[in-house]
Amino acid sequence: MAAPKNNRSVFLGRLPLPERNYLADALRTETVGGVLLLAAAVAAVIWANTPVKDGYESIRTFHLGPGALGLNLSVQHWAADGLLAVFFFVAGIELKRELVAGELRDPKAAVLPVVAAVCGMAVPALVYTIVATTGGGSLQGWAVPTATDIAFALAVLAVIGTSLPSALRAFLLTLAVVDDLFAILIIAIFFTSKLNFVALGFAVLGLAVFRLLLSKGVRGWYVYVPLAVVNWALMYNSGVHATIAGVAMGLMLRCHRHDDERVSPGEHIEHLVRPLSAGLAVPLFALFSAGVSLSGGALSDVFRRPETLGVVLGLVLGKAVGVFGGTWLAARFTRAELNPDLKWPDVLAVASLAGIGFTVSLLIGELAFADDPLLVGEVKAAVLVGSLIAAVLASTLLKLRDNKYRKLCADEDRDDDQDGIPDIYEQDDPAYHLRMAAILEAKAAEHRRLAEVASGRTTGDDGPA
């Protein structure tokens, strides 16, 4: 990636090396998790449309848990309210880290991704509202097409075999993090049932205890895991969606490093919990939530009913227009220059990729139409169809520039002096140029020696063999 050449900010410019290394580690886990998520979603759809579909329905509606504590839930609800709390816990840590050490720590640098994410949520909601209003449908699902699923998006990249420069991946991740923040607010504000203030008060008290223990430096999973489970149960019984407890605890972790630390506590815990979230929690949620019946013209009905058509158009059209338009406007008014190695069609491709809204979209769909199980299934089908169309569109746009991306990635990773630091980060270091000069001189000397040997053999001299 080209480095800035003047004092004007560069959009999608080279990331600092520590941020690039963190990003590579985080996205590696998310990519594996995304492939598992994709496999789980496909398995769920197949399972729900085979002769054994009754078994699928029996399993996900099977209830278990202590009824006396208000936790006698179906397997599907345990996946949505319990396992997704782990996902949102990781999302809370990601958001905290972005705010204190990542792309969002500098207000000037944060303007572009934040504006892009806000527009990327507002425009799909507007598209849904227009379609639903025009067709006489329900407006309850306005929030369904607003979310981006980073794991599913990375799974698409892994499946089609394309490479994205680190700056584009960082932009996509930041979009998803801000998306998650607003999705959390939407769930908390618009999908909260009647409040149980006693349970809510104890939940707040439990979170305060969690924060106090962190501030005192108390360590040990045997302290925090039971407390986290109690906080989750109290939040669930309060009427506020239980995943909010996961977000709150994630935001409380310290994500800035002290001088004597290689990683912060938040980064360390995220490193431990992210595989559990990406590899188990989210795929299991997909397995028990994505199973929708596609028989009886269900797919064609997706494009006929205003609610489902609004979801599809919101994901495919609204996300692309919102993210791209918001980014272009923010860059225009902040006078930010696009990295010369990239073009605006690259931003459009990433904007289209943001239209893959799976995990949180499915969750919001269940919450929005909880009183209409038939419509819940149709909205889920619409999320699957919209995400699939967005994935195909984004894949096509990305493949057109794949050769360019591969060259940029190769330049980012090149390490000719083999010191563990990509050469592109050392170009302004005099010591680097001395090392490279020594390497080039050694190679030149080797070439001269080989040329002399070859010349001796050719002329019949008794040179070295």
Side-chain angles (χ1 to χ4, degrees):
M1 289 293 204
K5 295 181 179 179
N6 53 43
N7 292 328
R8 295 177 65 181
S9 61
V10 175
F11 173 49
L12 298 178
R14 186 193 311 159
L15 296 175
L17 184 58
E19 185 70 12
R20 180 180 179 275
N21 292 339
Y22 167 82
L23 179 74
D25 181 60
L27 294 185
R28 192 177 299 112
T29 303
E30 289 285 5
T31 301
V32 175
V35 173
L36 293 176
L37 171 62
L38 183 60
V42 171
V45 172
I46 293 174
W47 196 359
N49 290 275
T50 59
V52 294
K53 61 183 179 181
D54 290 340
Y56 175 75
E57 196 62 30
S58 298
I59 291 175
R60 72 173 180 176
T61 57
F62 180 77
H63 281 63
L64 68 160
L69 299 178
L71 296 175
N72 184 26
L73 311 177
S74 67
V75 170
Q76 183 178 359
H77 277 104
W78 275 112
D81 294 321
L83 291 177
L84 278 195
V86 179
F87 166 80
F88 278 105
F89 174 69
V90 174
I93 300 175
E94 287 178 337
L95 177 60
K96 179 68 172 291
R97 188 194 171 279
E98 288 291 321
L99 289 170
V100 301
E103 292 291 297
L104 302 180
R105 70 186 185 282
D106 180 2
K108 291 182 179 179
V111 168
L112 276 163
V114 169
V115 170
V118 170
C119 292
M121 298 187 79
V123 175
L126 179 62
V127 169
Y128 177 93
T129 301
I130 292 173
V131 174
T133 301
T134 303
S138 170
L139 297 180
Q140 290 177 271
W142 64 270
V144 174
T146 60
T148 294
D149 194 309
I150 183 66
F152 217 139
L154 292 172
V156 169
L157 293 178
V159 170
I160 66 174
T162 190
S163 300
L164 272 188
S166 58
L168 281 174
R169 289 178 179 264
F171 180 62
L172 181 61
L173 177 61
T174 306
L175 278 177
V177 169
V178 179
D179 257 10
D180 288 341
L181 169 62
F182 284 100
I184 291 159
L185 294 175
I186 288 171
I187 291 171
I189 296 172
F190 296 99
F191 298 109
T192 294
S193 56
K194 293 182 180 180
L195 290 176
N196 180 333
F197 287 100
V198 175
L200 182 60
F202 278 110
V204 172
L205 179 61
L207 291 173
V209 172
F210 187 88
R211 180 69 183 87
L212 179 63
L213 293 175
L214 288 173
S215 66
K216 297 296 184 182
V218 176
R219 298 191 177 190
W221 64 267
Y222 46 84
V223 174
Y224 291 104
V225 171
L227 180 58
V229 172
V230 170
N231 288 341
W232 172 86
L234 289 169
M235 192 67 73
Y236 178 85
N237 281 286
S238 73
V240 178
H241 199 270
T243 55
I244 303 300
V247 175
M249 287 184 285
L251 286 170
M252 289 179 185
L253 295 176
R254 176 169 62 81
C255 291
H256 62 274
R257 303 176 188 177
H258 290 163
D259 293 339
D260 60 342
E261 292 179 330
R262 188 176 61 86
V263 295
S264 67
E267 291 172 315
H268 175 66
I269 293 174
E270 180 186 8
H271 180 75
L272 295 176
V273 179
R274 184 188 288 276
L276 176 63
S277 169
L280 181 66
V282 175
L284 282 178
F285 167 77
L287 182 63
F288 293 113
S289 291
V292 294
S293 175
L294 302 179
S295 59
L299 285 179
S300 60
D301 289 344
V302 165
F303 298 97
R304 296 173 183 170
R305 185 157 185 163
E307 294 91 346
T308 52
L309 181 60
V311 169
V312 173
L313 292 179
L315 289 171
V316 177
L317 181 64
K319 269 291 182 181
V321 171
V323 172
F324 180 82
T327 305
W328 187 87
L329 288 173
R332 174 71 177 80
F333 287 104
T334 59
R335 295 177 58 80
E337 294 179 341
L338 181 65
N339 186 327
D341 288 335
L342 299 172
K343 306 297 181 184
W344 282 107
D346 299 318
V347 181
L348 178 61
V350 173
S352 301
L353 198 61
I356 302 174
F358 188 75
T359 305
V360 178
S361 291
L362 291 178
L363 175 62
I364 293 178
E366 291 180 356
L367 296 173
F369 301 106
D371 56 347
D372 190 342
L374 179 60
L375 186 53
V376 167
E378 293 176 344
V379 167
K380 287 182 177 181
V383 170
L384 294 174
V385 170
S387 297
L388 179 60
I389 295 174
V392 172
L393 175 61
S395 299
T396 302
L397 294 174
L398 291 169
K399 272 297 184 182
L400 294 175
R401 294 270 289 167
D402 194 39
N403 289 335
K404 178 66 173 179
Y405 295 153
R406 291 186 185 279
K407 182 180 182 303
L408 291 175
C409 289
D411 291 341
E412 286 183 357
D413 294 334
R414 182 173 293 113
D415 185 16
D416 289 337
D417 59 351
Q418 298 182 344
D419 64 347
I421 301 175
D423 296 339
I424 198 170
Y425 288 93
E426 300 181 293
Q427 290 176 351
D428 298 327
D429 181 7
Y432 164 75
H433 292 288
L434 291 175
R435 289 197 303 273
M436 289 305 299
I439 291 172
L440 292 175
E441 177 58 32
K443 289 182 177 179
E446 180 65 13
H447 284 307
R448 288 194 298 269
R449 188 186 72 80
L450 293 175
E452 291 171 357
V453 170
S455 175
R457 286 175 174 169
T458 302
T459 58
D461 295 340
D462 294 328

